[in-house]
Amino acid sequence: MGLEAILALAVVAGVFVALLFTRWPVEAVFLAALTVLVAAAVLPVDRAFAGFANSGLVTVALLYVVAGGVQETGAVEWLGRLLLGAPRGQRRALARIMLPAAGLSAFLNNTPLMALLIPLVKDWCRRTGISPSKLLLPLNHAAMLGGTCVLIGTSTNLVVSSLMVAAGQPALGMFEVTPVGLPVALAGLVYLLLASPRLLPERVPVAADTAAAREYLTEMLVQGGGPLVGKTIAQAGLWALGGLYLLEIDRHGRLLQAVAPDEVLAAGDRLVFVGAVESVVDLHRIRGLSPATTQVFRLDGPRNQRQLVEAVVGPHCPVVGKSVREGRFRNRYDAAIIAVARSGERLRSKIGDIVLRAGDTLLLEARPSFLERFRRAPDFLLISAIDGATPPRHERAPLALAILAAVVALAGFGLLDILAAALFGAAGMVASGCLSFTSARRSLDGSVLLTIGAAIGIGAALDGSGAARALALGLQGLIGHGPWQALLTVYLATLLLTQLITNNAAAALMVPLTLAMAGELGMAVRPLLLAVVMAASASYATPMGYQTNLMVFGPGGYRFGDYLRLGVPLHGVTALVTLAVLAPMLGV
């Protein structure tokens, strides 16, 4: 083994140690490793940064834009509410929640998907009386299982495909992982359905007590011709909302108080809610409801180019002592008040009639420039934007879903290359107005893209220096020459890595080694790479294994042992099915 190979292996070992024992960002670790390899002359500069022009990397970026369009239009949330329904019994609830999550995750990245589904499930649990701890972890694992069924289901699949292209291999096809991922997902879902009711205890989330939350008063209008007209309050999902209470309905001047869940909604109903800011934001995402104040629609620019902002009224604000209507707030600040909170006091007036006081907290719909214009003005004591609260464009949701379906069909049936299909989808999202150019830029996950680009360069260093070949020969000496032993070793090594470091990092480290091993053993490389794909996505046993594992940790009130109790047997199920499906592909 030459000096360059030793240096390359030392750098990869350093990457592993840094990922395991520090909290440095994954992309920073990989970029630092790439810099060291270039500085040590192990890797020429042109090869080091060729990964950032790799077609696989561009494909990943474009698919993030496509997913952003689906998310921005509220299509995922609309599908979630449509599919969840109102089941009876815990197992039926699990089935109704896991199947949609797995199906949606096959075509959407599961991180933004879980970000949308978690609040939906929490509210659903409050309505059905089921503890969130019984559903959120199985929901998370179902989404992870679904992500392994289609190429675009998870960034790990795309990372492996990108590294394959960089190594001169054909990219993974849209449904190439499906023959392995689908049986694994089905087996995993059956296990979760049977085992999770017994293995998961009922726990109270840390954040369950919302009694002290600031109460906003907000008004929503039932849109004529919308999907909520003719439905009862309960059927529309507006009864017993988490952190939100339906105070009354103003039906063309007639007040309906103490509203019953079987009250039928009519076009033009003005619904008055009180609740926490997160619940108010969720309310504005429900298809068929719109802000009752006409001021929102008199603001300049489309709603999807605005954001929600919290602002505390200062004592020198010129609207203090005036009603919202008299103060001409929209004309003065180019922002519309959609909710008002007054410390501990439940407001009952219409928003336009509320006389503002110093210290009132306003929830505003405004253009992004509002923060810069008034952040230091004496009119407000505090101004802060609410992340992820851009009003969705519900009318574009069917179009966004149609574009996503077209991308999947074009790539899946071989009519277009995956890069061309992704380019078509991203351009379609922006051109059709499902996603603004600014939102498209925000939808890109810079961490994943930088990691992929740097990992391609590190893989080139391992290959060019002979380090990958040396490692492959070493593994060959340990496991023997049989294809079964090679498959088992690749799967278990990737599985171990993905429990300790991120799944994308584990895939990035294993792909070049797997390619080299397959070359030395003269084996078909794609079954081994599919083993990497499946094992890298199997992060069920610890909260740190994957970012969505941590996302459900607090809302479900989980403990570390809950992940082990449910996840370790799931690892056994998915490993057995994966190896059983892949072994015949290797002639075992």
Side-chain angles (χ1 to χ4, degrees):
M1 188 186 301
L3 179 60
E4 288 186 351
I6 293 173
L7 286 172
L9 289 175
V11 169
V12 171
V15 168
F16 178 73
V17 171
L19 292 172
L20 187 56
F21 295 108
T22 73
R23 295 187 178 181
W24 297 341
V26 175
E27 67 274 20
V29 172
F30 273 74
L31 287 170
L34 193 63
T35 303
V36 171
L37 290 170
V38 172
V42 175
L43 191 64
V45 175
D46 58 340
R47 291 196 70 192
F49 295 99
F52 293 99
N54 179 268
S55 62
L57 180 69
V58 177
T59 302
V60 174
L62 293 171
L63 287 172
Y64 271 120
V65 176
V66 175
V70 177
Q71 182 178 356
E72 194 87 0
T73 57
V76 173
E77 187 172 50
W78 172 69
L79 282 173
R81 291 185 182 275
L82 180 69
L83 295 171
L84 292 182
R88 298 175 182 175
Q90 188 174 326
R91 280 205 168 85
R92 288 190 180 183
L94 274 172
R96 292 206 54 168
I97 202 171
M98 290 193 305
L99 291 174
L104 290 171
S105 184
F107 301 102
L108 295 171
N109 185 279
N110 53 0
T111 301
L113 178 65
M114 287 298 296
L116 289 170
L117 289 181
I118 287 171
L120 287 178
V121 172
K122 287 172 63 181
D123 292 344
W124 193 48
C125 287
R126 291 189 185 98
R127 297 196 301 270
T128 58
I130 299 173
S131 171
S133 64
K134 292 287 191 179
L135 298 181
L136 285 177
L137 196 55
L139 168 69
N140 173 67
H141 292 348
M144 292 171 69
L145 288 165
T148 63
C149 294
V150 179
L151 175 64
I152 61 175
T154 177
S155 58
T156 306
N157 300 357
L158 296 167
V159 167
V160 173
S161 184
S162 302
L163 294 173
M164 290 169 63
V165 171
Q169 294 282 331
L172 287 173
M174 178 67 80
F175 298 109
E176 188 172 349
V177 294
T178 307
V180 186
L182 185 58
V184 169
L186 291 175
L189 290 173
V190 170
Y191 160 77
L192 290 171
L193 188 62
L194 296 176
S196 56
R198 297 186 179 187
L199 295 179
L200 290 177
E202 290 194 12
R203 299 200 186 281
V204 179
V206 175
D209 184 10
T210 58
R214 182 166 58 248
E215 276 197 346
Y216 275 101
L217 176 104
T218 189
E219 300 172 15
M220 303 297 290
L221 202 66
V222 177
Q223 296 174 344
L228 303 186
V229 175
K231 290 187 176 180
T232 66
I233 299 292
Q235 290 170 340
L238 302 176
W239 181 254
L241 288 165
L244 204 64
Y245 170 66
L246 179 56
L247 190 64
E248 63 187 24
I249 298 177
D250 183 346
R251 181 165 291 164
H252 308 296
R254 183 167 63 94
L255 284 184
L256 305 178
Q257 297 178 325
V259 183
D262 57 357
E263 180 69 41
V264 177
L265 294 170
D269 278 354
R270 184 186 294 261
L271 312 180
V272 182
F273 293 90
V274 290
V277 62
E278 295 84 2
S279 301
V280 173
V281 171
D282 291 339
L283 191 65
H284 281 254
R285 289 186 169 274
I286 295 178
R287 186 166 168 262
L289 291 181
S290 62
T293 173
T294 58
Q295 304 301 309
V296 165
F297 305 101
R298 294 177 182 173
L299 296 176
D300 295 332
R303 291 194 72 205
N304 67 320
Q305 293 180 10
R306 306 175 203 158
Q307 64 184 141
L308 297 186
V309 177
E310 281 190 296
V312 180
V313 178
H316 303 295
C317 183
V319 298
V320 169
K322 300 178 181 178
S323 71
V324 172
R325 186 177 294 106
E326 293 169 345
R328 299 177 63 81
F329 193 94
R330 177 186 64 83
N331 294 334
R332 188 184 298 270
Y333 297 106
D334 192 26
I337 299 174
I338 60 174
V340 181
R342 181 169 293 161
S343 55
E345 183 178 339
R346 175 165 287 185
L347 301 171
R348 301 191 72 91
S349 304
K350 292 183 178 179
I351 288 180
D353 297 331
I354 294 174
V355 177
L356 296 175
R357 302 178 189 172
D360 284 352
T361 304
L362 311 178
L363 186 62
L364 309 174
E365 187 170 311
R367 296 178 65 82
S369 59
F370 177 89
L371 277 81
E372 295 304 320
R373 289 169 55 201
F374 298 104
R375 191 183 295 276
R376 294 177 179 83
D379 303 42
F380 303 103
L381 299 176
L382 179 69
I383 297 177
S384 61
I386 298 176
D387 293 334
T390 302
R393 302 190 68 179
H394 290 298
E395 73 280 3
R396 304 279 183 180
L399 182 56
L401 290 173
I403 292 172
L404 175 64
V407 171
V408 173
L410 290 170
F413 293 107
L415 301 175
L416 283 180
D417 176 79
I418 180 65
L419 173 58
L423 181 60
F424 161 80
M429 288 294 183
V430 176
S432 65
C434 293
L435 193 67
S436 68
F437 190 78
T438 301
S439 297
R441 198 166 56 239
R442 283 201 306 262
S443 68
L444 299 176
D445 192 328
S447 173
V448 171
L449 298 178
L450 287 173
T451 300
I452 293 174
I456 290 172
I458 294 171
L462 289 172
D463 181 49
S465 66
R469 183 175 183 275
L471 275 179
L473 289 172
L475 286 173
Q476 181 181 351
L478 288 174
I479 64 175
H481 298 269
W484 170 254
Q485 294 95 320
L487 178 63
L488 185 61
T489 300
V490 166
Y491 187 90
L492 293 179
T494 309
L495 186 65
L496 176 62
L497 283 177
T498 202
Q499 307 310 311
L500 302 174
I501 58 179
T502 69
N503 51 354
N504 286 338
L509 290 173
M510 284 300 300
V511 167
L513 300 182
T514 303
L515 288 168
M517 182 189 300
E520 289 300 320
L521 293 175
M523 295 171 51
V525 69
R526 298 184 88 78
L528 294 180
L529 290 171
L530 288 175
V532 172
V533 167
M534 300 304 300
S537 295
S539 306
Y540 312 117
T542 68
M544 300 80 69
Y546 190 56
Q547 55 217 27
T548 59
N549 292 9
L550 289 171
M551 289 170 67
V552 300
F553 189 88
Y558 293 114
R559 300 173 187 171
F560 191 93
D562 297 332
Y563 287 78
L564 290 174
R565 193 179 300 113
L566 187 66
V568 171
L570 181 57
H571 275 300
V573 170
T574 55
L576 287 173
V577 177
T578 300
L579 296 174
V581 173
L582 289 176
M585 298 183 188
L586 289 170
V588 176

